């Protein structure tokens, strides 16, 4: 039986050039992957954080061959989660208990930075536009 907690966990690893080296989106309660937990890694490539923050989720979903509306939704959700956490890390977005993304920890070391965040999915997905086949 699925749990009722819809809070998700986001871990972002930045390299020494502040580019996303890895990220993972998981259910906070059980640690289960949310969709493909590293769905955007091929698209992220060697992009600077600034480019990620400016990316339009709909355009990115069209660039990535998603195959269906559910996968396109997941692409948009992952990108908005990354944008929320990276924006909060840089002080461009708020990151409190009532926000869609709350930074839990930031650890820096000689190999880069790791950002831990909690995502309130009900607030995060409000920024995702309805698919073209949706009637609402």
């Amino acid at each position: 039986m699925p749990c009722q907690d819809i809070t998700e966990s986001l871990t972002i690893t930045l390299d020494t050039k502040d580019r996303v080296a890895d990220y993972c989106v998981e259910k906070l309660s059980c640690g289960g992957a949310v969709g493909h937990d590293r769905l955007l890694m091929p698209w992220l490539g060697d992009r600077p954080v600034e480019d990620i923050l400016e990316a339009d989720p709909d355009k990115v979903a069209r660039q990535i061959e998603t195959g269906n509306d559910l996968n396109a939704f997941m692409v948009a959700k992952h990108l908005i989660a990354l944008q929320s956490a990276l924006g909060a890390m840089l002080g461009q977005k708020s990151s409190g208990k009532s926000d869609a993304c709350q930074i839990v920890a930031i650890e820096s070391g000689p190999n880069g930075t790791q950002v831990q965040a909690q995502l309130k999915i009900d607030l995060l997905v409000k920024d995702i536009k309805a698919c073209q086949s949706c009637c609402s």
Side-chain angles (χ1 to χ4, degrees):
M1 174 182 247
C3 65
Q4 300 301 314
D5 184 6
I6 61 169
T7 305
E8 295 176 1
S9 166
L10 172 64
T11 303
I12 304 171
T13 303
L14 301 170
D15 64 17
T16 55
K17 297 178 184 176
D18 286 337
R19 296 178 192 269
V20 177
D22 195 18
Y23 84 99
C24 183
V25 181
E26 300 174 322
K27 292 277 293 167
L28 184 63
S29 57
C30 65
V34 177
H36 183 289
D37 60 349
R38 291 167 175 83
L39 182 63
L40 294 177
M41 283 310 298
W43 178 82
L44 291 169
D46 204 27
R47 293 178 197 274
V49 168
E50 295 79 18
D51 288 357
I52 297 167
L53 290 172
E54 293 172 3
D56 179 278
D58 291 328
K59 289 181 182 176
V60 173
R62 286 192 296 270
Q63 290 173 2
I64 297 173
E65 195 166 318
T66 58
N68 61 51
D69 289 339
L70 177 60
N71 289 339
F73 171 83
M74 294 304 291
V75 165
K77 179 179 165 185
H78 279 222
L79 180 56
I80 291 170
L82 283 167
Q83 290 172 328
S84 296
L86 293 170
M89 179 191 79
L90 295 172
Q92 297 174 358
K93 293 187 177 208
S94 60
S95 173
K97 289 185 178 187
S98 62
D99 294 310
C101 177
Q102 180 181 9
I103 300 293
V104 177
I106 299 176
E107 297 179 20
S108 294
N111 296 324
T113 303
Q114 188 171 68
V115 180
Q116 299 274 340
Q118 289 183 1
L119 306 169
K120 292 183 181 164
I121 298 309
D122 54 336
L123 297 176
L124 191 73
V125 298
K126 70 177 181 58
D127 293 329
I128 298 175
K129 296 176 186 168
C131 63
Q132 292 179 352
S133 60
C134 184
C135 297
S136 56

